[in-house]
Each structure stands twice: as C-alpha cells, then as structure tokens.
C-alpha cells in the first residue's frame, strides 16, 4: 500500500522527480568530495604532526629541466656529486629520504621505494606478515640479498623468506631481494604539500637505502630523493647550506620549507577552497531542497481529494509520514548509487597506486575507511534532511483535515 | 441496536453550521437527509464518517463513542464498517477498475485479508452491478453511471455495516439512479444501514425516514407539522 501511495502521489510528476534526482545526484558528488577531502585533510594533519614536532624542513625540487637533463647525460660527473652529497648529508644532518621508482609506469606491476632508516621516524608503516627492517637491514654489504617489504597486492612476491630478482631503474641493476615482511593493507603516507592526498603502498616494494647503496649512489636516485627530502632537528640557516651545496655544483635547485609553515599554508588555502566548495554545495543543496519541497507540496495538494479518498477507505493520515520516509529512503539510495560507484572506482585507483593491477585483486579490496565513512555521512545527511522536509510539509498538509468534498459544487 | 447516535452535535466554521443536532439510525433502515445547499449535510457525513473530529457533542457508532477510538481504530472503522458513495465518482485514474474496487482491502491486516475470499466477492458484486466486464478497464473509459457503480462496489467490498452516500444519484440518469436505489434496498434487507444525502424528493421518498437539515438543526419530516 505504501508503494501504491509513493508511485501515485509522491512520484507522480515523473519529469520533475527525475530532475530533482539529478540535482540531488550532483549534490551527492559535491558533498561527498567535501566530506572526504576534509576527513583526509584532518587525518593528514594528525599524521604529519611528527614533522612539526621534529622541526622538519621539506625539500622542494625546482631544478630546471635543462639542468637535470644535462646532469643525467653527464653521468660520470653527476654520480660523483650525488655520492659526495650523500656523504655530506650523513655527516651534517638528520634526514629522511624516500626515492620512488615507477619503472615503466603503466605496465609495471610494482614501484620500488628506497628509504633510509630515518624514514620510519616519521611514518608508521604497518606490517601484516613477517617483520619490519632492523638496524642491520640498512648496514648490509652489497652482496647479500636486499631485505624488502612488499605490498599486500603483490601476490607474486608474497612469501616471507623467499628471494627474487627484480630490476631497479634507480640503480639500473637487477637486484636480488629477500622478502622479510608483507605490508598490511592500505598503508599510506600523506603528502606534505597536500595533506589530503596520499601515496599508498599496496603495490610497493620498500627497500632500504643501505650503506653499500650510498657508495654506488647516482644522480637519478638523488633527483628522486631530493623531492620531499626531510631534514630535521635543524634550522633554516642550516638547511640553506644544502641548497647552496647543490646550486654551487650546478646539480639542483632545491628550496626548503619549514614543515610547520607549509602545513599552515596548506590549511589556510585548504580552508578557503573548502569553504567555497561548501558554499557551492549549499547553493545546490538549496536548489534541490526547493525542488523537492515544491514537488512534494504540489503532489500533496493536487492529490488532496485522492488522499482523502484513501483515508476514507481506511488509510491512516499518519501513514502518509511512513510512506514519505520510505520514499525518501528509496530516493536516497538511488541517488547515492552513482557517487558510490565513483567512490569505489576511486578508492581502487588510490589503493592500487599508479601501477596496473589484476582486476580480481581490486574487487577484493574493500573501501578504505574514509571513503566509506564519507559515503555514510552523505547518505545520512541527505536522508535525514529529506525526511525533515517531508515531515514538515506533511504536518502542514495534515493540519487541514482530509475531508471528502462529497458533492461537487 | 443503534448504528449511529448523535447527541448535541455542534460545528462551527466562521459561522455556526450545526447546533444541537441529534438523531439516531437503526440497523436495517434507510434514511434520507435533505436540506438546502450549504446547510451542512456533507459536514454531517464527514463527522459520522470519522473524517472530521473538530466538533462539539457526541457521536456514537455501534454504541461506541468515536472520540474514544484511537487514530488506528478510527481508520479500521472507516475501512471495515463504513462505506462512502459520493456524487462525483472519485476513482484513481491510474488504476484499473479491479484495483480501484479492491483498494480498501489493501488497508486490511494480512490476517483479515486472508480470512475472506475477496475474488469471489469481487465477482459477485460486480456481476450484480453489471460492471463485471469492465474490471480491467481504466476509469476514464467509463460512463458516469458505470463509474458510480464502481464506487458502490468499492464501498461494499469490505462488507460495511453503514453506507454514507452524498447525492449518490445526483449525476445519474434515471436507470442508473434506480440501480443504486435497488442496491440500497437489498442492503437494508440484509440488515445494513444507509444514510443518503439528497436533493431529489423522489429519491428521498423511497427511504424509510426523511431528516431535514435547516437553520443548523435536524428535524424528522412528519414530526415537522
Ligand atoms: N473547510 C471549510 N471552511 C470553511 N467553511 C466551510 C468549510 N467546509 C464547508 N464550509 C461551509 O460549511 C457550510 C456547510 O457545508 P456543506 O458542504 O456541509 O453543505 P451541504 O449541505 O453539503 O451543501 P450542498 O448541498 O451544496 O452540498 C457551507 O456554508 C460551507 O461554505
Ligand atoms: Mg454537500
């Protein structure tokens, strides 16, 4: 009986109902983006707190392309610079270096992340199986297999204790690796420049930057490592020396920013962007709620006699509320479908990284927490709001008794 | 048993419509309610039909004060004990004749619905009223007289005790009017009760009693003189 009522009364104006649904669908995308981004930004801020606590400075590689190209061509000289630079860093600074190599982007099934020991002072990487690196992992000589942590999506490598051969485009060598741990699902680190965006480690191979690697360090690796190089427990004057060191040798132009200022800057501009999105979302929201109200009210008013008829035949006036709530529930579910599909696709893309992966694996990966929570918040918000509008309108509608105009005048 | 008992009924909009109205209807009788336009006849039917609770005085249906009934019980009364027939046949255009007639059964509880063979009842009713062949039609293809017979079938599908009819023959030709009146006579023969609002004195004369609403009061014709 509720469905009959919904079909013939609430949704009787098919075109307007569809139009309202479409506006609501666009609203779901905006509000979902807004909620998700805010949650991510909040999470990122929490995670990056240690950077601020350790007075970290973040490197931003602004080297002109020409300089980079020239240095990479002239490998003999620039590799030499890279090696002496790493020595210089080791003897003067505390730093966290993170070199990312996406070999053959698009076709590669994994990316190689080479990190030094201090990396783990800032990022909490969770292990699903096996164990994390130890101090000796970073001191290994060049001949033993390299201990690595592998992402949970890389089933080919998912055997703790086994050794494999992989090509590392950073070192330019085939390397023998030994899996010592499998990462937990959805390990991620927030970007220091945009704390609402993340790098996921599901398809990553994390490898230590060992003392022996430093001896064969090259320009390609350094260029990757300079971006987001974290130098900490130091002062701005001190990090400026690093900048000078690289500039003097015509190797790179790296600017360092205080993590604290950087984060503050980000959140100031983020709040601005977020606020304008919020205003935009509110406008769409008011348009859709206006459409819903008009549609609902017109339907009720036009059908007053038909509703009175149903009441005379045994329907309870309060059942109009139940029908409305049911209708809004169905409507909310329907309008949430596109954004849910989008979210699912988006989170798969995120968790799989930029690299390709088996579609079966994607299906088995659940929505990462924030994506799911964002959807839920949007659903609840829209549903509660629709119900509220309906209840107010029906209350107003029921105020005038549902009489039968038994004879037409 | 008294089906309807009204005592000291009063109703006001901007002006007083009903004042100190009292009458009762016995089971198995057919009563006509007459009166000039705008006197409040439809208002009385809405009150007895439990659609309007904004009045003073007392209304008893089947010896129960309706003010004591909950919203749910009132709905159940309308559903199972009352049947409405209006001058303009109000049907839902998007539904077939069959669905329209069965609409009141939708509001029954599952148990109540299973207790009665509504298909047989539907066939019997519609055959009696000559609309059996129209069951799968949409209302807008029907004539006024056919529509009114569909309304009558819908009013009777839950086998109500009391029929409230507002100008049921007002828009009908003589033949169709007779069909409705014959139906009412059959109903009271089976112990049902009918209250008909009418302007037509010929229709009124065919009832057991005639009540007249004038100057906010109801008088029995016959007592009037
Ligand atoms: N919702 C309302 N608000 C204000 N006044 C109303 C309302 N409904 C009815 N009335 C007034 O109450 C009076 C009685 O109306 P009602 O429809 O009961 O008359 P009636 O006797 O059935 O007339 P008719 O024979 O024309 O159908 C009328 O004067 C009408 O204008
Ligand atoms: Mg009337």
């Amino acid at each position: 009986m509720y469905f009959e009522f919904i079909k013939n009364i609430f949704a009787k104006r098919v075109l307007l109902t569809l139009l309202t649904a479409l506006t609501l669908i666009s609203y779901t995308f905006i509000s979902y983006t807004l909620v998700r981004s805010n949650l991510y930004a909040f999470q990122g801020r929490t995670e990056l707190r240690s950077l601020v606590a350790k007075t970290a400075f973040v490197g931003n590689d602004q080297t002109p392309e020409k300089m980079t190209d020239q240095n990479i061509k002239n490998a003999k000289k620039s590799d030499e610079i890279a090696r002496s630079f790493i020595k210089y860093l080791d003897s003067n600074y505390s730093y966290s270096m993170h070199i990312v190599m996406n070999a053959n982007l698009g076709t590669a099934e994994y990316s190689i992340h080479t990190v030094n020991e201090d990396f783990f002072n800032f990022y909490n990487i969770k292990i699903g199986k096996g164990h994390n690196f130890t101090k000796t992992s970073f001191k290994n000589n060049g001949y033993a297999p390299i201990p690595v942590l592998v992402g949970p999506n890389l089933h080919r490598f998912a055997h703790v204790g086994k050794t494999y051969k992989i090509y590392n485009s950073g070192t330019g060598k085939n390397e023998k690796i030994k899996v010592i741990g499998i990462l937990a699902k959805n390990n991620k680190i927030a970007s220091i420049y945009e704390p609402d965006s993340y790098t996921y480690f599901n398809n990553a191979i994390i490898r230590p930057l060992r003392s022996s690697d430093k001896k064969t360090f090259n320009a390609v690796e350094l260029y990757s490592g300079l971006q987001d190089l974290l130098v900490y427990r130091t002062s701005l004057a001190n990090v400026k020396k690093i900048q000078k060191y690289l500039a003097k040798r015509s190797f790179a132009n790296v600017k360092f920013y205080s993590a604290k200022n950087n984060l503050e800057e980000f959140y100031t501009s983020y709040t601005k962007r977020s606020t304008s999105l919020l205003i935009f979302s509110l406008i769409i929201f008011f348009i859709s709620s206006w459409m819903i109200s008009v549609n609902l009210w017109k339907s009720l008013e036009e059908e007053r006699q038909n509703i009175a008829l149903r009441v005379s035949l045994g329907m309870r006036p309060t059942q109009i509320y139940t029908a409305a709530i049911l209708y809004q529930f169905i409507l909310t579910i329907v309008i949430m479908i596109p954004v849910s599909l989008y979210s699912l696709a988006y989170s798969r893309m995120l968790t799989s990284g930029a690299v390709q992966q088996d579609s079966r694996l994607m299906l088995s990966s659940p929505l990462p927490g924030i994506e799911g929570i964002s959807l839920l918040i949007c659903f609840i918000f829209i549903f509660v709001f629709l119900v509220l509008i309906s209840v107010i309108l029906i209350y107003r509608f029921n105020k005038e008794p549902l009489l039968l105009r038994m004879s037409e005048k | 048993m008294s089906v309807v008992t009204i005592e000291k009924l009063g109703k006001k909009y901007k002006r007083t419509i009903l004042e100190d109205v009292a009458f009762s209807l016995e089971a198995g009788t057919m009563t006509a309610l007459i009166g000039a336009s705008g006197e409040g006849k439809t208002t009385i039917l809405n009150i007895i039909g439990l659609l309007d609770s904004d009045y003073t005085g007392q209304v008893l249906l089947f010896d129960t004060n309706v003010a004591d009934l909950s919203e749910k019980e009132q709905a159940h009364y309308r559903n199972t004990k009352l049947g409405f027939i209006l001058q303009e046949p109000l049907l839902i255009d998007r539904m077939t004749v069959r669905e329209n007639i069965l609409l009141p059964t939708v509001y029954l509880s599952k148990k109540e619905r299973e207790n009665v063979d509504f298909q047989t009842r539907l066939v019997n009713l519609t055959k009696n009223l000559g609309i059996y062949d129209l069951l799968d039609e949409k209302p807008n293809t029907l004539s006024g007289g056919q529509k009114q017979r569909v309304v009558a079938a819908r009013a009777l599908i839950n086998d109500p005790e009391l029929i409230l009819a507002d100008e049921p023959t007002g828009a009908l030709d003589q033949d169709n009017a007779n069909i409705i009146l014959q139906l009412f006579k059959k109903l009271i023969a089976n112990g049902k009760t009918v209250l008909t609002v009418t302007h037509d004195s010929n229709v009124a004369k065919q009832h057991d009693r005639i009540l007249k609403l004038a100057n906010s009061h109801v008088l029995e014709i016959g007592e009037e003189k």
Side-chain angles (χ1 to χ4, degrees):
Chain A
M1 87 188 237
Y2 292 120
F3 290 104
E4 179 273 318
F5 195 87
I6 288 170
K7 197 176 107 207
N8 291 323
I9 311 263
F10 289 140
K12 72 169 199 153
R13 238 180 300 267
V14 180
L15 208 68
L16 187 56
T17 307
L18 280 179
L19 216 64
T20 314
L22 280 178
T23 349
L24 276 172
I25 285 172
S26 65
Y27 175 71
T28 61
F29 275 91
I30 299 166
S31 65
Y32 165 73
T33 310
L34 190 67
V35 172
R36 183 191 61 191
S37 161
N38 269 289
L39 289 178
Y40 271 127
F42 179 76
Q43 201 187 44
R45 177 181 236 165
T46 319
E47 280 176 15
L48 294 174
R49 217 172 261 162
S50 64
L51 273 94
V52 178
K54 292 193 172 91
T55 54
F57 293 86
V58 192
N60 187 345
D61 187 2
Q62 296 171 2
T63 315
E65 214 170 300
K66 238 169 135 188
M67 193 190 275
T68 320
D69 288 349
Q70 211 151 28
N71 280 319
I72 290 190
K73 249 189 235 151
N74 194 354
K76 209 165 171 248
K77 190 180 153 221
S78 58
D79 289 354
E80 192 60 48
I81 297 173
R83 281 192 285 276
S84 51
F85 176 70
I86 229 76
K87 245 187 236 159
Y88 167 75
L89 269 186
D90 274 337
S91 42
N92 296 299
Y93 298 94
S94 303
Y95 68 96
S96 151
M97 190 176 269
H98 179 193
I99 300 163
V100 188
M101 289 295 150
N102 277 332
N104 306 327
L105 210 108
T107 54
E109 73 178 298
Y110 52 80
S111 50
I112 302 175
H113 298 246
T114 307
V115 300
N116 73 340
E117 198 177 346
D118 289 21
F119 175 83
F120 294 91
N121 290 344
F122 293 97
Y123 302 111
N124 176 24
I125 301 292
K126 290 173 217 83
I127 308 293
K129 228 161 82 186
H131 62 85
N132 206 334
F133 297 131
T134 60
K135 279 232 175 295
T136 51
S137 306
F138 295 90
K139 286 181 183 125
N140 257 337
N141 71 55
Y143 303 105
I146 306 166
V148 297
L149 305 170
V150 301
N153 285 356
L154 301 178
H155 289 204
R156 184 150 81 81
F157 299 104
H159 305 280
V160 175
K162 281 211 168 171
T163 58
Y164 303 89
K165 268 237 162 81
I166 57 165
Y167 176 72
N168 183 343
S169 60
T171 60
K173 283 178 235 159
N174 279 317
E175 297 181 331
K176 198 170 175 193
I177 56 168
K178 182 180 183 183
V179 177
I180 61 161
I182 314 284
L183 299 173
K185 237 183 191 325
N186 297 333
N187 263 298
K188 61 186 190 303
I189 64 173
S191 152
I192 300 151
Y193 296 101
E194 285 172 19
D196 59 338
S197 73
Y198 287 81
T199 305
Y200 280 82
F201 287 103
N202 289 336
N203 290 54
I205 294 182
I206 303 183
R207 163 201 191 289
L209 179 64
R210 304 164 304 165
S211 13
S212 54
D213 296 319
K214 288 177 183 171
K215 286 187 186 122
T216 58
F217 205 62
N218 65 37
V220 175
E221 290 177 289
L222 182 53
Y223 276 125
S224 167
L226 285 177
Q227 183 59 40
D228 290 4
L229 177 70
L230 281 175
V231 183
Y232 64 103
R233 289 206 201 96
T234 186
S235 64
L236 188 62
N238 258 333
V239 285
K240 282 227 166 110
K241 287 182 192 158
I242 301 176
Q243 190 181 337
K244 267 190 206 144
Y245 185 103
L246 292 165
K248 216 168 100 186
R249 287 159 181 81
S250 300
F251 186 86
N253 178 19
V254 180
K255 290 240 164 74
F256 283 89
Y257 297 94
S258 130
K260 190 175 163 223
N261 291 347
N262 221 343
L263 286 176
E264 271 166 13
E265 222 168 83
F266 170 80
Y267 283 105
T268 316
S269 82
Y270 180 81
T271 312
K272 262 190 217 144
R273 269 184 292 150
S274 197
T275 311
S276 49
L277 191 61
L278 181 72
I279 291 169
F280 183 59
S281 93
L282 283 179
I283 292 171
I284 301 272
F285 185 64
F286 282 121
I287 293 174
S288 13
S289 37
W290 176 76
M291 282 169 82
I292 292 164
S293 310
V294 168
N295 196 356
L296 208 66
W297 184 252
K298 274 196 153 185
S299 304
L300 285 172
E301 271 302 302
E302 276 177 25
E303 296 291 312
R304 185 172 272 280
Q305 265 310 282
N306 281 326
I307 295 171
L309 170 71
R310 286 173 176 84
V311 169
S312 79
L313 297 179
M315 185 177 174
R316 293 157 58 189
T318 50
Q319 282 172 325
I320 304 173
Y321 290 104
T322 318
I325 291 169
L326 195 67
Y327 171 58
Q328 305 299 13
F329 188 69
I330 296 167
L331 188 68
T332 315
I333 288 182
V334 170
I335 62 163
M336 287 296 289
I337 289 174
V339 76
S340 305
L341 291 177
Y342 165 79
S343 160
L344 207 65
Y346 181 83
S347 55
R348 271 179 206 162
M349 205 181 72
L350 271 184
T351 54
S352 66
V355 286
Q356 200 188 37
Q357 70 156 15
D358 192 341
S359 58
R360 270 177 303 121
L361 298 183
M362 295 204 273
L363 278 175
S364 67
S365 74
L367 284 176
I370 286 191
E371 308 293 322
I373 291 173
S374 306
L375 283 179
L376 193 70
I377 289 178
C378 288
F379 181 91
I380 292 174
F381 180 79
I382 293 174
F383 177 60
V384 166
F385 179 76
L386 288 180
V387 166
L388 207 70
I389 290 186
S390 314
V391 167
I392 293 171
L393 289 181
I394 295 170
Y395 178 76
R396 218 178 102 190
F397 176 77
N398 272 350
K399 255 190 158 174
E400 199 177 311
L402 285 162
L403 300 183
L404 284 173
R405 265 181 292 114
M406 295 200 186
S407 56
E408 291 291 324
K409 298 256 157 81
Chain B
M1 185 186 71
S2 164
V3 175
V4 179
T5 308
I6 289 180
E7 285 160 9
K8 291 197 174 136
L9 178 64
K11 169 86 187 174
K12 257 190 206 166
Y13 281 117
K14 277 195 190 85
R15 61 180 181 89
T16 301
I17 310 292
L18 304 173
E19 198 181 359
D20 205 10
V21 167
F23 63 86
S24 62
L25 305 177
E26 298 302 314
T29 64
M30 190 166 150
T31 306
L33 178 62
I34 60 171
S37 179
E39 284 287 345
K41 304 182 294 296
T42 300
T43 305
I44 291 181
L45 286 197
N46 270 315
I47 291 172
I48 298 174
L50 305 180
L51 292 168
D52 186 356
S53 54
D54 181 22
Y55 57 83
T56 57
Q58 280 197 337
V59 176
L60 282 74
L61 288 187
F62 313 101
D63 298 325
T64 306
N65 189 340
V66 297
D68 296 338
L69 297 172
S70 68
E71 189 230 16
K72 193 176 170 181
E73 288 167 329
Q74 292 199 359
H76 193 248
Y77 263 58
R78 288 195 298 273
N79 187 202
T80 59
K81 293 187 191 292
L82 308 180
F84 294 89
I85 300 176
L86 326 173
Q87 176 177 4
E88 286 299 316
L90 196 52
L91 294 168
I92 295 170
D93 291 333
R94 297 173 181 220
M95 296 182 177
T96 62
V97 166
R98 180 195 309 276
E99 288 165 337
N100 266 288
I101 296 174
L102 288 174
L103 189 55
T105 67
V106 165
Y107 303 106
L108 291 170
S109 69
K110 195 160 177 274
K111 210 171 137 199
E112 289 171 315
R113 217 174 307 138
E114 280 161 2
N115 274 344
V116 180
D117 180 0
F118 282 105
Q119 287 313 315
T120 310
R121 194 181 276 178
L122 176 74
V123 169
N124 289 341
L125 259 174
T126 49
K127 277 190 173 158
N128 271 339
L129 287 162
I131 50 172
Y132 177 69
D133 295 333
L134 305 175
L135 280 178
D136 295 314
E137 304 287 330
K138 287 278 168 70
N140 51 16
T141 64
L142 271 52
S143 75
Q146 288 170 329
K147 281 186 189 173
Q148 193 60 302
R149 283 180 269 158
V150 174
V151 169
R154 181 180 66 195
L156 299 177
I157 193 74
N158 275 345
D159 195 26
E161 296 300 320
L162 172 62
I163 311 299
L164 300 170
D166 198 350
E167 308 272 7
T169 58
L172 300 184
D173 57 44
Q174 197 57 52
D175 290 346
N176 275 303
N178 280 334
I179 293 176
I180 298 292
L181 283 169
Q182 290 316 309
L183 175 72
F184 286 176
K185 284 178 183 161
K186 235 186 265 173
L187 286 170
I188 60 165
N190 286 323
K192 311 291 183 194
T193 311
V194 177
L195 177 61
T196 313
V197 166
T198 184
H199 274 123
D200 186 333
S201 56
N202 284 328
V203 172
K205 270 184 216 149
Q206 300 197 46
H207 288 67
D208 303 324
R209 290 163 70 201
I210 300 176
L211 300 174
K212 181 172 180 176
L213 177 59
N215 301 323
S216 306
H217 293 274
V218 168
L219 291 174
E220 182 120 22
I221 300 270
E223 285 176 1
E224 204 179 10
K225 291 162 247 166

